[in-house]
Amino acid sequence: IVTLFFIDTARNLVSYLETIHRLLRPGGRWINLGPLLYGSGPFVQLSLDEIVQLSERIGFEFQETDEECGTITLPGIPVRGLEVAYAQNTRGLSKNAYLAQLWEAIKIEKG
């Protein structure tokens, strides 16, 4: 499952994470890329480290990604941040960009 500019659209982020987990088979991969801006009136706004902790409790294991995918956002957590252009006009005088978070996690069997 790939979530592209998606996680921060959740009103109920816990439900999003549980649904992604439920849809994957054991060993299935979840790849995320996007900012954490929470623009749709969420019930709760989790920080990056809280998302990682909750995802691990649900049954995900975060995987190392290539250095070309950005720099490590938080020490000890294999999540990378990179600037991603958004609504950019290459001939204009300004540009918009987000610090997007990239991670890859696999569904592990609990037990």
Side-chain angles (χ1 to χ4, degrees):
I1 292 177
V2 176
T3 50
L4 179 62
F5 279 69
F6 180 73
I7 291 299
D8 63 346
T9 67
R11 288 218 13 127
N12 184 343
L13 184 55
V14 175
S15 177
Y16 269 30
L17 300 178
E18 289 174 340
T19 300
I20 292 167
H21 186 265
R22 183 175 38 82
L23 291 171
L24 288 171
R25 294 183 176 131
R29 296 191 180 275
W30 169 32
I31 300 169
N32 178 76
L33 175 64
L36 301 175
L37 296 176
Y38 299 105
S40 59
F43 297 134
V44 64
Q45 295 183 25
L46 299 179
S47 65
L48 176 59
D49 56 334
E50 291 170 328
I51 291 171
V52 170
Q53 290 173 14
L54 177 59
S55 297
E56 289 176 336
R57 270 189 245 131
I58 289 172
F60 284 105
E61 182 178 277
F62 285 75
Q63 305 295 294
E64 293 293 333
T65 53
D66 194 284
E67 289 180 13
E68 292 178 6
C69 298
T71 57
I72 295 292
T73 303
L74 298 169
I77 300 174
V79 175
R80 296 190 177 271
L82 67 154
E83 187 176 287
V84 177
Y86 186 82
Q88 180 177 342
N89 178 346
T90 56
R91 294 184 293 176
L93 295 175
S94 67
K95 74 173 188 175
N96 294 315
Y98 293 119
L99 178 58
Q101 300 302 312
L102 171 79
W103 65 76
E104 182 176 339
I106 58 170
K107 178 179 179 175
I108 57 173
E109 291 198 48
K110 295 176 110 182

